[in-house]
């Protein structure tokens, strides 16, 4: 049984260069979308920790350091 990557490579070998360019554009779009999603997840995680550190007690302690 062929894996999806093997099937895709076979198709790429059989189609024109112009069609390969379209596949490449789509693959790059998917990669960028994944990276953007990861970046947004990291941003959300960091923002959620801001409230934890932003409080009067910690501010007072750190002001004396």
């Amino acid at each position: 049984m062929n894996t999806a990557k093997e099937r895709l490579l076979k198709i790429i070998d059989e189609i024109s260069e112009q069609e390969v360019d379209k596949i490449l554009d789509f693959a790059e779009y998917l990669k960028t979308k994944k990276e953007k999603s990861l970046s947004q997840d990291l941003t959300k995680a960091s923002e959620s920790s801001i409230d934890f550190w932003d409080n009067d007690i910690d501010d007072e302690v750190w002001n004396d350091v």
Side-chain angles (χ1 to χ4, degrees), residues 14-54:
E14 296 172 355
I15 62 175
S16 70
E17 188 68 27
Q18 183 180 8
E19 296 299 314
V20 172
D21 285 342
K22 292 176 184 178
I23 293 172
L24 179 59
D25 286 344
F26 184 67
E28 289 173 338
Y29 161 76
L30 292 176
K31 182 180 176 192
T32 301
K33 182 179 172 183
K34 180 180 178 183
E35 290 169 352
K36 183 178 178 182
S37 176
L38 176 60
S39 176
Q40 289 173 341
D41 290 347
L42 292 173
T43 299
K44 287 178 186 176
S46 67
E47 288 173 351
S48 67
S49 65
I50 290 173
D51 291 336
F52 174 79
W53 293 106
D54 188 21

Side-chain angles (χ1 to χ4, degrees), residues 2-13:
N2 290 340
T3 66
K5 284 185 181 182
E6 290 171 335
R7 290 179 15 228
L8 180 58
L9 289 172
K10 185 175 185 220
I11 291 170
I12 289 171
D13 284 339

